[in-house]
Amino acid sequence: MGAVPDPQVARALILETHSPESPNATEVSYLKVRYARSYAGLEECRALKILILVGCGTFAIPSLKPHPGLVQLSVSDSDVRMVTGIDGAHELHTVDLPRNFIEDLSPLLDCAQLRSFDVRGNPLSDATYSTVLPELERRGVKMVVPTLQERDLMLRLRSIGLPYSYYRKGGSYRLSRPGLGLTDMPEADHIKIGPEELSRLLDTDHEALAGIFERKDLMPTLRDP
């Protein structure tokens, strides 16, 4: 008998199968899960092709070995720090991991079918920039990665106890709170703040940064998305 499914995994399976009484996880090929605190129950989804996880409170991506046919993985706005479980899906060609806490991307080197990935808003390590990214670029993999300026600002935020993500979207920069430690909806309320202003606050006003998500004037609007 398997582990009791995480409530959010169970909810996602019910929504996908339209079967509240007995959802058949083994036939599910697409699944989107929000706010899970564990991956219990995912291992039953052996036919998965696309897995989307949003705002999860786990330190690693799920092991992909139960999903050998997975072709697309997205884990966003979550507490993920490690991607070591990625080697279990040999058909994986698209990996999107924006706004997490990932430093080491070397496990992506084992994804032979990888075509593209997005890791904006992650504090990547120097080794990842100097070794992993050039090798993936040499293989022709399309990538979206944080600039060194964005990475360094994230590291400065972490050094004062603020686990925020910083990334560029369109023509503006955004600050967000990945995972479930600081907000119940980490994919929402990403505020707009430029690197110069963020750097100034890091130099002069840590208290303002700690409460910055309460500033409504920094929220995107319909007129200024």
Side-chain angles (χ1 to χ4, degrees):
M1 184 175 179
V4 176
D6 180 276
Q8 297 301 326
V9 174
R11 180 176 183 275
L13 286 169
I14 289 171
L15 290 173
E16 184 60 29
T17 61
H18 308 287
S19 178
E21 298 300 326
S22 56
N24 188 354
T26 60
E27 297 182 357
V28 171
S29 62
Y30 170 94
L31 193 65
K32 184 174 185 177
V33 182
R34 294 179 182 270
Y35 316 138
R37 294 187 179 275
S38 83
Y39 299 128
L42 281 182
E43 69 280 357
E44 300 298 326
C45 304
R46 301 182 185 91
L48 272 183
K49 296 290 185 180
I50 299 174
L51 175 60
I52 301 173
L53 303 170
V54 179
C56 294
T58 55
F59 284 2
I61 66 168
S63 171
L64 301 185
K65 289 182 179 179
H67 322 295
L70 196 73
V71 297
Q72 182 174 334
L73 172 69
S74 175
V75 186
S76 62
D77 301 293
S78 297
D79 207 5
V80 168
R81 288 113 197 275
M82 299 179 294
V83 294
T84 49
I86 209 164
D87 60 352
H90 301 294
E91 301 301 317
L92 195 64
H93 60 66
T94 303
V95 176
D96 294 323
L97 304 168
R99 300 175 299 279
N100 288 281
F101 300 110
I102 299 164
E103 298 180 14
D104 178 17
L105 289 180
S106 59
L108 292 185
L109 296 172
D110 295 326
C111 297
Q113 302 301 319
L114 188 64
R115 300 175 193 167
S116 67
F117 67 90
D118 180 347
V119 289
R120 75 187 78 186
N122 285 274
L124 304 181
S125 67
D126 289 339
T128 289
Y129 279 105
S130 64
T131 304
V132 180
L133 297 184
E135 172 60 20
L136 291 172
E137 185 176 32
R138 186 191 67 78
R139 297 180 188 180
V141 178
K142 296 180 180 179
M143 59 187 77
V144 181
V145 302
T147 65
L148 286 172
Q149 181 188 43
E150 293 163 14
R151 188 280 303 267
D152 291 346
L153 286 168
M154 284 185 275
L155 292 179
R156 290 179 65 189
L157 285 162
R158 287 198 342 182
S159 73
I160 61 171
L162 297 177
Y164 298 162
S165 176
Y166 192 59
Y167 67 102
R168 186 163 188 167
K169 180 179 181 181
S172 63
Y173 290 88
R174 310 292 174 98
L175 198 65
S176 69
R177 297 166 289 181
L180 297 172
L182 298 177
T183 174
D184 292 333
M185 297 180 64
E187 81 281 24
D189 296 334
H190 295 188
I191 62 174
K192 299 172 67 173
I193 182 169
E196 294 81 10
E197 176 63 8
L198 181 55
S199 183
R200 184 188 69 80
L201 291 175
L202 278 163
D203 288 337
T204 63
D205 199 341
H206 294 178
E207 184 176 348
L209 277 171
I212 198 166
F213 288 92
E214 298 175 8
R215 287 186 54 180
K216 302 302 181 184
D217 61 306
L218 298 179
M219 293 292 179
T221 64
L222 291 176
R223 291 186 177 182
D224 188 18

